[in-house]
Amino acid sequence: MTEEIDPGELPPVVRIVDDDASVRAAIEDLLASVGLESRSFASTRAFLDGDAPEAPGCLVLDVRMPGQSGLDFQRQMASLRIGLPVIFITGHGDVPMSVRAMKEGAIEFLMKPFDDQALLDAIQSGIGRDRVRRAFEAEITTLRARYDELTPGERAVMDSVVKGLLNKQIAGLLDVSEITVKVRRRQVMLKMGATSLPQLVRIYDMVASSATDGQNPSGAEGR
Amino acid sequence: MAQKVIVVATGSRIGRTSIVAVLTAAVFALDTVTDLEIATAVFYIVVILIAIGLFSRRGVVRLAIACIALTLCSAALTKSGSYEAGLINSGISIAAIAITTWLALRMIAAEAAAYEARAQLIRIARVNSLGELAASIAHEVNQPLSAITTSGDACLRWLAADPPNLERARLAAGRIVDDASRAGKVVARVREHMRGEAAERREMSLNDVVAESVALAQSEIDRGGVTVRLDLTELLPPIQGDPIQLQQVLGNLILNAIEAMADQPAPSRSLDLRTWADNGIVRLCLGDAGIGVSEDNLPFLFDAFWTTKKGGTGMGLAICRTIVEAHGGTIRAKLGSPVGLEIHLGLPAAARS
């Protein structure tokens, strides 16, 4: 099993959170045997304190632990802005528990003792999902930066263009000449890297969805 | 060889009911024959007191009413004696019968409530302790088991690598050994814990343990519509041990038997409890007419976590065996004939000092 790693991208790291040292050591070793790097933590607290979030990967999480349970931690992850895909491992799962975990977006819910291949497959799909997520987030960050580089005038034109207004209407709305609108519109397309109006609308939506904290593009809703 | 006394529940009931009838007739006859001044009717309270353990609440009330009617009847039939004294005496007798009945009924209710509460408690304790015990053992054994499985998988992968990584494989195998001994320690601790509980040693009769256990399980027996037949050998040599633990064993066996017969037609739901002694061993055979188990499964019956019941923990019979063995006894199962299951229990008789 080989990993294709793009140059410039960090190698994936699997995070393991389980209160049992033997289980942690065993999983780490299993992952090492297939060439996967891992880091393990005895509790969710230790994970929060010690994890390096920039590395892509996924989280192998025990359900029953002293302190915070894995399921509660999964709930909390969104508000902590931790986007790592989760794979649950548990010694005594039941159907409601697994349903809850899967509803919250878990990749897998494995019963201990689990099949090694099932865990490895889940981890691979988790890493894949994390890569896609990170690529998407990186794209949004780039677009957001580009949007922030627009002049206020260009930004105003972009906001109106994506609403489907005609150049003439925009000119009237912004109280500038139609030529100015056309020039700014060309600048917007160029700076945002869009080649068509539909593409510009898509980019605008992505930028808008990323900014939910007050610095929305003017007039755009969070979603 | 000790003599055997067959105590069949329904048979003894008929016997005692006839005693009540005879006694009632005797009191009536005496009351009618004697003078009005003699309040023989007061003796109806003996009839009532005997009837308490025999009849339902309604039955006792009916009997009391009958006794009062007979008192009045006797007073009317009796010719000799002062009429005034007869009136007073009849009044006193009727009051005594009424008060006795009232107190008896309260006693029945209180006893029933107490039994119900105790039975409930036993059920709860059984479910709780078994459930919790099983869950915690399951968790404690499952962790090292899970680590062993994963380490084993890792070990195989290190060996299958090209070239094989023997050092990493050796480390993984070392972890497997450590985790296996950890799991073993958990099991040893559980056994130690169970053994430690058999601390109390008291001389007692196995018959008493059986009777107590049947009484405790009475509400379950009634609910299950099960007929219990006791065939207890009198003058059984005493055994030594913890009566509560042995009651727990018997209770467990009885409840299992009731559960096993739940789907059988009502008339065939019978539970036989037989005690006897041979060669210094006090024996009990508990035979039900339930669904039994398949012959292949007999050897596993007393293993922990082995169950044929939906939702069973597989701990009940395992704990029974641990307790019996802690008492130096044996427990085994064989198929009943024609149906059901027989549990045979043997406990060493206490050494006579």
Side-chain angles (χ1 to χ4, degrees), chain B residues 81-130:
Chain B
S82 128
Y83 176 75
E84 216 166 273
L87 206 65
I88 292 166
N89 280 340
S90 297
I92 290 171
S93 300
I94 289 167
I97 293 167
I99 290 168
T100 307
T101 310
W102 182 68
L103 287 175
L105 289 180
R106 284 193 46 172
M107 214 165 80
I108 291 176
E111 247 171 42
Y115 260 132
E116 186 62 35
R118 273 175 79 185
Q120 186 78 12
L121 210 64
I122 282 194
R123 272 202 302 281
I124 290 168
R126 183 175 91 124
V127 169
N128 275 356
S129 64
L130 287 189

mmCIF file of all heavy atoms in Angstrom, chain B residues 81-130:
data_model
loop_
_atom_site.group_PDB
_atom_site.id
_atom_site.type_symbol
_atom_site.label_atom_id
_atom_site.label_comp_id
_atom_site.label_asym_id
_atom_site.label_seq_id
_atom_site.Cartn_x
_atom_site.Cartn_y
_atom_site.Cartn_z
ATOM 1 N N GLY B 81 -79.996 -22.047 79.136
ATOM 2 C CA GLY B 81 -79.206 -20.880 79.514
ATOM 3 C C GLY B 81 -79.974 -19.601 79.410
ATOM 4 O O GLY B 81 -81.068 -19.552 78.845
ATOM 5 N N SER B 82 -79.366 -18.532 79.975
ATOM 6 C CA SER B 82 -80.037 -17.242 80.007
ATOM 7 C C SER B 82 -79.947 -16.559 78.654
ATOM 8 O O SER B 82 -78.885 -16.522 78.028
ATOM 9 C CB SER B 82 -79.402 -16.351 81.093
ATOM 10 O OG SER B 82 -79.056 -15.111 80.564
ATOM 11 N N TYR B 83 -81.067 -16.033 78.221
ATOM 12 C CA TYR B 83 -81.147 -15.408 76.907
ATOM 13 C C TYR B 83 -80.249 -14.193 76.828
ATOM 14 O O TYR B 83 -79.546 -13.963 75.846
ATOM 15 C CB TYR B 83 -82.602 -15.030 76.630
ATOM 16 C CG TYR B 83 -82.791 -14.291 75.330
ATOM 17 C CD1 TYR B 83 -82.725 -14.993 74.096
ATOM 18 C CD2 TYR B 83 -83.019 -12.922 75.312
ATOM 19 C CE1 TYR B 83 -82.878 -14.326 72.909
ATOM 20 C CE2 TYR B 83 -83.177 -12.251 74.110
ATOM 21 C CZ TYR B 83 -83.107 -12.962 72.914
ATOM 22 O OH TYR B 83 -83.266 -12.290 71.742
ATOM 23 N N GLU B 84 -80.249 -13.410 77.951
ATOM 24 C CA GLU B 84 -79.472 -12.172 77.994
ATOM 25 C C GLU B 84 -77.972 -12.464 77.853
ATOM 26 O O GLU B 84 -77.270 -11.848 77.037
ATOM 27 C CB GLU B 84 -79.715 -11.472 79.335
ATOM 28 C CG GLU B 84 -79.747 -9.967 79.222
ATOM 29 C CD GLU B 84 -80.327 -9.356 80.478
ATOM 30 O OE1 GLU B 84 -81.564 -9.215 80.562
ATOM 31 O OE2 GLU B 84 -79.509 -9.071 81.370
ATOM 32 N N ALA B 85 -77.495 -13.458 78.657
ATOM 33 C CA ALA B 85 -76.076 -13.840 78.598
ATOM 34 C C ALA B 85 -75.714 -14.322 77.197
ATOM 35 O O ALA B 85 -74.653 -14.021 76.662
ATOM 36 C CB ALA B 85 -75.778 -14.921 79.622
ATOM 37 N N GLY B 86 -76.625 -15.074 76.609
ATOM 38 C CA GLY B 86 -76.396 -15.584 75.246
ATOM 39 C C GLY B 86 -76.192 -14.459 74.269
ATOM 40 O O GLY B 86 -75.297 -14.504 73.408
ATOM 41 N N LEU B 87 -77.021 -13.410 74.403
ATOM 42 C CA LEU B 87 -76.914 -12.263 73.495
ATOM 43 C C LEU B 87 -75.551 -11.612 73.623
ATOM 44 O O LEU B 87 -74.856 -11.327 72.619
ATOM 45 C CB LEU B 87 -78.034 -11.268 73.847
ATOM 46 C CG LEU B 87 -78.491 -10.356 72.699
ATOM 47 C CD1 LEU B 87 -79.127 -11.175 71.579
ATOM 48 C CD2 LEU B 87 -79.454 -9.295 73.215
ATOM 49 N N ILE B 88 -75.149 -11.390 74.923
ATOM 50 C CA ILE B 88 -73.856 -10.741 75.172
ATOM 51 C C ILE B 88 -72.705 -11.604 74.656
ATOM 52 O O ILE B 88 -71.814 -11.137 73.961
ATOM 53 C CB ILE B 88 -73.673 -10.439 76.691
ATOM 54 C CG1 ILE B 88 -74.678 -9.367 77.108
ATOM 55 C CG2 ILE B 88 -72.239 -9.973 76.988
ATOM 56 C CD1 ILE B 88 -74.833 -9.232 78.607
ATOM 57 N N ASN B 89 -72.783 -12.921 75.004
ATOM 58 C CA ASN B 89 -71.715 -13.826 74.571
ATOM 59 C C ASN B 89 -71.608 -13.916 73.057
ATOM 60 O O ASN B 89 -70.511 -13.923 72.492
ATOM 61 C CB ASN B 89 -71.934 -15.225 75.142
ATOM 62 C CG ASN B 89 -71.464 -15.287 76.584
ATOM 63 O OD1 ASN B 89 -70.674 -14.442 77.001
ATOM 64 N ND2 ASN B 89 -71.936 -16.264 77.319
ATOM 65 N N SER B 90 -72.768 -13.992 72.391
ATOM 66 C CA SER B 90 -72.743 -14.031 70.928
ATOM 67 C C SER B 90 -72.097 -12.762 70.385
ATOM 68 O O SER B 90 -71.291 -12.807 69.443
ATOM 69 C CB SER B 90 -74.157 -14.166 70.351
ATOM 70 O OG SER B 90 -74.700 -15.396 70.770
ATOM 71 N N GLY B 91 -72.466 -11.634 71.005
ATOM 72 C CA GLY B 91 -71.881 -10.344 70.581
ATOM 73 C C GLY B 91 -70.374 -10.370 70.731
ATOM 74 O O GLY B 91 -69.640 -9.990 69.802
ATOM 75 N N ILE B 92 -69.910 -10.844 71.897
ATOM 76 C CA ILE B 92 -68.460 -10.902 72.139
ATOM 77 C C ILE B 92 -67.795 -11.814 71.115
ATOM 78 O O ILE B 92 -66.783 -11.473 70.505
ATOM 79 C CB ILE B 92 -68.166 -11.408 73.574
ATOM 80 C CG1 ILE B 92 -68.578 -10.341 74.605
ATOM 81 C CG2 ILE B 92 -66.691 -11.768 73.738
ATOM 82 C CD1 ILE B 92 -68.536 -10.814 76.038
ATOM 83 N N SER B 93 -68.394 -12.977 70.877
ATOM 84 C CA SER B 93 -67.827 -13.929 69.917
ATOM 85 C C SER B 93 -67.734 -13.306 68.527
ATOM 86 O O SER B 93 -66.704 -13.387 67.849
ATOM 87 C CB SER B 93 -68.690 -15.186 69.832
ATOM 88 O OG SER B 93 -68.755 -15.795 71.093
ATOM 89 N N ILE B 94 -68.848 -12.676 68.110
ATOM 90 C CA ILE B 94 -68.872 -12.076 66.771
ATOM 91 C C ILE B 94 -67.815 -10.985 66.671
ATOM 92 O O ILE B 94 -67.071 -10.896 65.686
ATOM 93 C CB ILE B 94 -70.279 -11.530 66.444
ATOM 94 C CG1 ILE B 94 -71.220 -12.717 66.220
ATOM 95 C CG2 ILE B 94 -70.244 -10.616 65.233
ATOM 96 C CD1 ILE B 94 -72.681 -12.355 66.201
ATOM 97 N N ALA B 95 -67.705 -10.168 67.723
ATOM 98 C CA ALA B 95 -66.692 -9.106 67.723
ATOM 99 C C ALA B 95 -65.297 -9.716 67.626
ATOM 100 O O ALA B 95 -64.450 -9.243 66.849
ATOM 101 C CB ALA B 95 -66.812 -8.264 68.990
ATOM 102 N N ALA B 96 -65.070 -10.795 68.390
ATOM 103 C CA ALA B 96 -63.749 -11.436 68.366
ATOM 104 C C ALA B 96 -63.434 -11.963 66.976
ATOM 105 O O ALA B 96 -62.329 -11.775 66.455
ATOM 106 C CB ALA B 96 -63.706 -12.571 69.376
ATOM 107 N N ILE B 97 -64.446 -12.611 66.362
ATOM 108 C CA ILE B 97 -64.231 -13.147 65.007
ATOM 109 C C ILE B 97 -63.917 -12.013 64.029
ATOM 110 O O ILE B 97 -62.974 -12.087 63.238
ATOM 111 C CB ILE B 97 -65.480 -13.932 64.526
ATOM 112 C CG1 ILE B 97 -65.644 -15.203 65.378
ATOM 113 C CG2 ILE B 97 -65.374 -14.286 63.049
ATOM 114 C CD1 ILE B 97 -66.993 -15.881 65.199
ATOM 115 N N ALA B 98 -64.702 -10.938 64.129
ATOM 116 C CA ALA B 98 -64.520 -9.814 63.195
ATOM 117 C C ALA B 98 -63.143 -9.187 63.373
ATOM 118 O O ALA B 98 -62.429 -8.931 62.394
ATOM 119 C CB ALA B 98 -65.611 -8.772 63.419
ATOM 120 N N ILE B 99 -62.771 -8.951 64.637
ATOM 121 C CA ILE B 99 -61.472 -8.302 64.880
ATOM 122 C C ILE B 99 -60.324 -9.202 64.415
ATOM 123 O O ILE B 99 -59.391 -8.750 63.754
ATOM 124 C CB ILE B 99 -61.317 -7.956 66.379
ATOM 125 C CG1 ILE B 99 -62.277 -6.814 66.740
ATOM 126 C CG2 ILE B 99 -59.877 -7.551 66.701
ATOM 127 C CD1 ILE B 99 -62.430 -6.593 68.231
ATOM 128 N N THR B 100 -60.435 -10.496 64.730
ATOM 129 C CA THR B 100 -59.390 -11.440 64.298
ATOM 130 C C THR B 100 -59.261 -11.438 62.783
ATOM 131 O O THR B 100 -58.159 -11.392 62.235
ATOM 132 C CB THR B 100 -59.737 -12.865 64.770
ATOM 133 O OG1 THR B 100 -59.974 -12.827 66.163
ATOM 134 C CG2 THR B 100 -58.610 -13.834 64.461
ATOM 135 N N THR B 101 -60.422 -11.468 62.112
ATOM 136 C CA THR B 101 -60.394 -11.481 60.653
ATOM 137 C C THR B 101 -59.724 -10.227 60.109
ATOM 138 O O THR B 101 -58.879 -10.288 59.216
ATOM 139 C CB THR B 101 -61.830 -11.579 60.090
ATOM 140 O OG1 THR B 101 -62.486 -12.658 60.744
ATOM 141 C CG2 THR B 101 -61.822 -11.780 58.596
ATOM 142 N N TRP B 102 -60.125 -9.115 60.717
ATOM 143 C CA TRP B 102 -59.558 -7.836 60.241
ATOM 144 C C TRP B 102 -58.035 -7.814 60.410
ATOM 145 O O TRP B 102 -57.298 -7.490 59.481
ATOM 146 C CB TRP B 102 -60.207 -6.680 61.022
ATOM 147 C CG TRP B 102 -59.731 -5.331 60.561
ATOM 148 C CD1 TRP B 102 -59.990 -4.735 59.358
ATOM 149 C CD2 TRP B 102 -58.908 -4.422 61.291
ATOM 150 N NE1 TRP B 102 -59.385 -3.520 59.306
ATOM 151 C CE2 TRP B 102 -58.706 -3.292 60.474
ATOM 152 C CE3 TRP B 102 -58.321 -4.455 62.571
ATOM 153 C CZ2 TRP B 102 -57.947 -2.192 60.884
ATOM 154 C CZ3 TRP B 102 -57.577 -3.369 62.982
ATOM 155 C CH2 TRP B 102 -57.384 -2.251 62.143
ATOM 156 N N LEU B 103 -57.592 -8.230 61.575
ATOM 157 C CA LEU B 103 -56.149 -8.253 61.828
ATOM 158 C C LEU B 103 -55.451 -9.250 60.895
ATOM 159 O O LEU B 103 -54.379 -8.976 60.361
ATOM 160 C CB LEU B 103 -55.869 -8.639 63.287
ATOM 161 C CG LEU B 103 -56.179 -7.554 64.322
ATOM 162 C CD1 LEU B 103 -55.981 -8.092 65.742
ATOM 163 C CD2 LEU B 103 -55.305 -6.329 64.101
ATOM 164 N N ALA B 104 -56.115 -10.383 60.687
ATOM 165 C CA ALA B 104 -55.530 -11.411 59.824
ATOM 166 C C ALA B 104 -55.355 -10.896 58.404
ATOM 167 O O ALA B 104 -54.325 -11.119 57.767
ATOM 168 C CB ALA B 104 -56.413 -12.648 59.822
ATOM 169 N N LEU B 105 -56.400 -10.202 57.953
ATOM 170 C CA LEU B 105 -56.326 -9.680 56.585
ATOM 171 C C LEU B 105 -55.193 -8.671 56.448
ATOM 172 O O LEU B 105 -54.481 -8.661 55.444
ATOM 173 C CB LEU B 105 -57.662 -9.030 56.188
ATOM 174 C CG LEU B 105 -58.804 -10.018 55.970
ATOM 175 C CD1 LEU B 105 -60.073 -9.272 55.587
ATOM 176 C CD2 LEU B 105 -58.452 -11.031 54.881
ATOM 177 N N ARG B 106 -55.056 -7.841 57.490
ATOM 178 C CA ARG B 106 -53.955 -6.866 57.445
ATOM 179 C C ARG B 106 -52.615 -7.591 57.433
ATOM 180 O O ARG B 106 -51.683 -7.182 56.739
ATOM 181 C CB ARG B 106 -54.027 -5.935 58.650
ATOM 182 C CG ARG B 106 -55.118 -4.894 58.477
ATOM 183 C CD ARG B 106 -55.001 -3.797 59.478
ATOM 184 N NE ARG B 106 -53.625 -3.317 59.602
ATOM 185 C CZ ARG B 106 -53.291 -2.242 60.310
ATOM 186 N NH1 ARG B 106 -54.219 -1.570 60.954
ATOM 187 N NH2 ARG B 106 -52.058 -1.855 60.384
ATOM 188 N N MET B 107 -52.539 -8.667 58.178
ATOM 189 C CA MET B 107 -51.304 -9.432 58.237
ATOM 190 C C MET B 107 -50.993 -10.044 56.866
ATOM 191 O O MET B 107 -49.863 -9.990 56.392
ATOM 192 C CB MET B 107 -51.455 -10.550 59.258
ATOM 193 C CG MET B 107 -50.208 -10.886 60.008
ATOM 194 S SD MET B 107 -50.629 -11.878 61.439
ATOM 195 C CE MET B 107 -50.828 -13.470 60.699
ATOM 196 N N ILE B 108 -52.063 -10.597 56.244
ATOM 197 C CA ILE B 108 -51.860 -11.196 54.909
ATOM 198 C C ILE B 108 -51.334 -10.141 53.955
ATOM 199 O O ILE B 108 -50.355 -10.359 53.221
ATOM 200 C CB ILE B 108 -53.191 -11.770 54.355
ATOM 201 C CG1 ILE B 108 -53.612 -12.986 55.172
ATOM 202 C CG2 ILE B 108 -53.047 -12.125 52.882
ATOM 203 C CD1 ILE B 108 -54.966 -13.542 54.748
ATOM 204 N N ALA B 109 -51.966 -8.970 53.980
ATOM 205 C CA ALA B 109 -51.576 -7.907 53.059
ATOM 206 C C ALA B 109 -50.133 -7.496 53.315
ATOM 207 O O ALA B 109 -49.339 -7.340 52.374
ATOM 208 C CB ALA B 109 -52.509 -6.710 53.229
ATOM 209 N N ALA B 110 -49.783 -7.326 54.593
ATOM 210 C CA ALA B 110 -48.430 -6.897 54.935
ATOM 211 C C ALA B 110 -47.410 -7.940 54.513
ATOM 212 O O ALA B 110 -46.364 -7.619 53.947
ATOM 213 C CB ALA B 110 -48.324 -6.643 56.438
ATOM 214 N N GLU B 111 -47.763 -9.213 54.767
ATOM 215 C CA GLU B 111 -46.845 -10.285 54.383
ATOM 216 C C GLU B 111 -46.654 -10.344 52.880
ATOM 217 O O GLU B 111 -45.536 -10.469 52.391
ATOM 218 C CB GLU B 111 -47.404 -11.630 54.863
ATOM 219 C CG GLU B 111 -46.556 -12.255 55.944
ATOM 220 C CD GLU B 111 -47.234 -13.466 56.555
ATOM 221 O OE1 GLU B 111 -47.814 -14.269 55.800
ATOM 222 O OE2 GLU B 111 -47.190 -13.575 57.783
ATOM 223 N N ALA B 112 -47.783 -10.196 52.167
ATOM 224 C CA ALA B 112 -47.706 -10.246 50.712
ATOM 225 C C ALA B 112 -46.821 -9.115 50.205
ATOM 226 O O ALA B 112 -45.978 -9.299 49.324
ATOM 227 C CB ALA B 112 -49.109 -10.143 50.106
ATOM 228 N N ALA B 113 -47.023 -7.928 50.794
ATOM 229 C CA ALA B 113 -46.226 -6.773 50.367
ATOM 230 C C ALA B 113 -44.751 -7.000 50.664
ATOM 231 O O ALA B 113 -43.887 -6.685 49.844
ATOM 232 C CB ALA B 113 -46.718 -5.521 51.076
ATOM 233 N N ALA B 114 -44.483 -7.575 51.832
ATOM 234 C CA ALA B 114 -43.091 -7.818 52.205
ATOM 235 C C ALA B 114 -42.445 -8.818 51.254
ATOM 236 O O ALA B 114 -41.325 -8.621 50.793
ATOM 237 C CB ALA B 114 -43.008 -8.326 53.641
ATOM 238 N N TYR B 115 -43.202 -9.891 50.931
ATOM 239 C CA TYR B 115 -42.670 -10.885 50.007
ATOM 240 C C TYR B 115 -42.408 -10.268 48.646
ATOM 241 O O TYR B 115 -41.361 -10.481 48.040
ATOM 242 C CB TYR B 115 -43.650 -12.052 49.852
ATOM 243 C CG TYR B 115 -43.256 -13.230 50.695
ATOM 244 C CD1 TYR B 115 -44.181 -13.881 51.494
ATOM 245 C CD2 TYR B 115 -41.940 -13.698 50.679
ATOM 246 C CE1 TYR B 115 -43.826 -14.959 52.273
ATOM 247 C CE2 TYR B 115 -41.580 -14.773 51.457
ATOM 248 C CZ TYR B 115 -42.521 -15.400 52.257
ATOM 249 O OH TYR B 115 -42.155 -16.453 53.016
ATOM 250 N N GLU B 116 -43.404 -9.492 48.220
ATOM 251 C CA GLU B 116 -43.288 -8.857 46.906
ATOM 252 C C GLU B 116 -42.040 -7.976 46.877
ATOM 253 O O GLU B 116 -41.253 -8.009 45.939
ATOM 254 C CB GLU B 116 -44.559 -8.042 46.627
ATOM 255 C CG GLU B 116 -44.630 -7.444 45.247
ATOM 256 C CD GLU B 116 -44.624 -8.494 44.143
ATOM 257 O OE1 GLU B 116 -45.202 -9.590 44.334
ATOM 258 O OE2 GLU B 116 -44.035 -8.211 43.095
ATOM 259 N N ALA B 117 -41.869 -7.206 47.948
ATOM 260 C CA ALA B 117 -40.733 -6.289 48.014
ATOM 261 C C ALA B 117 -39.413 -7.054 48.003
ATOM 262 O O ALA B 117 -38.472 -6.671 47.304
ATOM 263 C CB ALA B 117 -40.831 -5.434 49.269
ATOM 264 N N ARG B 118 -39.379 -8.154 48.755
ATOM 265 C CA ARG B 118 -38.136 -8.927 48.800
ATOM 266 C C ARG B 118 -37.831 -9.559 47.456
ATOM 267 O O ARG B 118 -36.693 -9.556 46.987
ATOM 268 C CB ARG B 118 -38.231 -10.019 49.868
ATOM 269 C CG ARG B 118 -37.810 -9.531 51.233
ATOM 270 C CD ARG B 118 -38.028 -10.601 52.261
ATOM 271 N NE ARG B 118 -36.980 -11.613 52.253
ATOM 272 C CZ ARG B 118 -37.030 -12.708 53.024
ATOM 273 N NH1 ARG B 118 -38.055 -12.910 53.813
ATOM 274 N NH2 ARG B 118 -36.058 -13.567 52.998
ATOM 275 N N ALA B 119 -38.893 -10.097 46.842
ATOM 276 C CA ALA B 119 -38.701 -10.735 45.545
ATOM 277 C C ALA B 119 -38.213 -9.708 44.530
ATOM 278 O O ALA B 119 -37.315 -9.959 43.738
ATOM 279 C CB ALA B 119 -40.010 -11.365 45.083
ATOM 280 N N GLN B 120 -38.844 -8.543 44.601
ATOM 281 C CA GLN B 120 -38.469 -7.446 43.711
ATOM 282 C C GLN B 120 -36.997 -7.108 43.904
ATOM 283 O O GLN B 120 -36.234 -6.957 42.959
ATOM 284 C CB GLN B 120 -39.343 -6.219 44.061
ATOM 285 C CG GLN B 120 -39.166 -5.048 43.142
ATOM 286 C CD GLN B 120 -39.912 -5.253 41.847
ATOM 287 O OE1 GLN B 120 -40.726 -6.164 41.738
ATOM 288 N NE2 GLN B 120 -39.624 -4.442 40.857
ATOM 289 N N LEU B 121 -36.625 -7.012 45.165
ATOM 290 C CA LEU B 121 -35.258 -6.654 45.520
ATOM 291 C C LEU B 121 -34.278 -7.673 44.959
ATOM 292 O O LEU B 121 -33.243 -7.332 44.402
ATOM 293 C CB LEU B 121 -35.145 -6.612 47.042
ATOM 294 C CG LEU B 121 -34.132 -5.632 47.601
ATOM 295 C CD1 LEU B 121 -34.544 -4.226 47.256
ATOM 296 C CD2 LEU B 121 -34.019 -5.803 49.107
ATOM 297 N N ILE B 122 -34.657 -8.942 45.104
ATOM 298 C CA ILE B 122 -33.776 -10.001 44.600
ATOM 299 C C ILE B 122 -33.637 -9.905 43.094
ATOM 300 O O ILE B 122 -32.549 -10.011 42.545
ATOM 301 C CB ILE B 122 -34.326 -11.377 45.011
ATOM 302 C CG1 ILE B 122 -33.976 -11.624 46.477
ATOM 303 C CG2 ILE B 122 -33.782 -12.485 44.115
ATOM 304 C CD1 ILE B 122 -34.147 -13.049 46.906
ATOM 305 N N ARG B 123 -34.783 -9.655 42.447
ATOM 306 C CA ARG B 123 -34.739 -9.526 40.987
ATOM 307 C C ARG B 123 -33.838 -8.375 40.571
ATOM 308 O O ARG B 123 -32.984 -8.504 39.712
ATOM 309 C CB ARG B 123 -36.150 -9.281 40.435
ATOM 310 C CG ARG B 123 -36.917 -10.532 40.132
ATOM 311 C CD ARG B 123 -38.020 -10.262 39.130
ATOM 312 N NE ARG B 123 -38.948 -9.242 39.577
ATOM 313 C CZ ARG B 123 -39.930 -9.456 40.450
ATOM 314 N NH1 ARG B 123 -40.098 -10.639 40.974
ATOM 315 N NH2 ARG B 123 -40.735 -8.477 40.791
ATOM 316 N N ILE B 124 -34.039 -7.219 41.239
ATOM 317 C CA ILE B 124 -33.255 -6.034 40.896
ATOM 318 C C ILE B 124 -31.778 -6.292 41.159
ATOM 319 O O ILE B 124 -30.919 -6.001 40.332
ATOM 320 C CB ILE B 124 -33.741 -4.815 41.690
ATOM 321 C CG1 ILE B 124 -35.119 -4.400 41.184
ATOM 322 C CG2 ILE B 124 -32.770 -3.655 41.570
ATOM 323 C CD1 ILE B 124 -35.811 -3.399 42.067
ATOM 324 N N ALA B 125 -31.520 -6.873 42.339
ATOM 325 C CA ALA B 125 -30.121 -7.122 42.698
ATOM 326 C C ALA B 125 -29.482 -8.047 41.686
ATOM 327 O O ALA B 125 -28.355 -7.850 41.265
ATOM 328 C CB ALA B 125 -30.051 -7.732 44.091
ATOM 329 N N ARG B 126 -30.259 -9.068 41.281
ATOM 330 C CA ARG B 126 -29.722 -10.022 40.333
ATOM 331 C C ARG B 126 -29.403 -9.335 39.013
ATOM 332 O O ARG B 126 -28.320 -9.440 38.471
ATOM 333 C CB ARG B 126 -30.750 -11.143 40.101
ATOM 334 C CG ARG B 126 -30.250 -12.232 39.186
ATOM 335 C CD ARG B 126 -31.250 -13.355 39.108
ATOM 336 N NE ARG B 126 -32.167 -13.133 38.020
ATOM 337 C CZ ARG B 126 -32.362 -14.005 37.039
ATOM 338 N NH1 ARG B 126 -31.706 -15.129 37.015
ATOM 339 N NH2 ARG B 126 -33.225 -13.762 36.083
ATOM 340 N N VAL B 127 -30.394 -8.594 38.499
ATOM 341 C CA VAL B 127 -30.199 -7.927 37.218
ATOM 342 C C VAL B 127 -29.051 -6.932 37.312
ATOM 343 O O VAL B 127 -28.152 -6.916 36.486
ATOM 344 C CB VAL B 127 -31.503 -7.207 36.798
ATOM 345 C CG1 VAL B 127 -31.250 -6.306 35.617
ATOM 346 C CG2 VAL B 127 -32.563 -8.240 36.463
ATOM 347 N N ASN B 128 -29.082 -6.117 38.369
ATOM 348 C CA ASN B 128 -28.053 -5.085 38.502
ATOM 349 C C ASN B 128 -26.675 -5.674 38.618
ATOM 350 O O ASN B 128 -25.779 -5.334 37.869
ATOM 351 C CB ASN B 128 -28.327 -4.222 39.735
ATOM 352 C CG ASN B 128 -29.301 -3.129 39.406
ATOM 353 O OD1 ASN B 128 -29.692 -2.987 38.256
ATOM 354 N ND2 ASN B 128 -29.695 -2.379 40.404
ATOM 355 N N SER B 129 -26.527 -6.585 39.598
ATOM 356 C CA SER B 129 -25.179 -7.065 39.854
ATOM 357 C C SER B 129 -24.656 -7.835 38.648
ATOM 358 O O SER B 129 -23.526 -7.645 38.241
ATOM 359 C CB SER B 129 -25.149 -7.917 41.109
ATOM 360 O OG SER B 129 -25.936 -9.056 40.913
ATOM 361 N N LEU B 130 -25.513 -8.653 38.044
ATOM 362 C CA LEU B 130 -25.051 -9.421 36.890
ATOM 363 C C LEU B 130 -24.758 -8.517 35.715
ATOM 364 O O LEU B 130 -23.727 -8.627 35.082
ATOM 365 C CB LEU B 130 -26.103 -10.460 36.497
ATOM 366 C CG LEU B 130 -26.230 -11.638 37.434
ATOM 367 C CD1 LEU B 130 -27.133 -12.682 36.831
ATOM 368 C CD2 LEU B 130 -24.865 -12.241 37.716
#
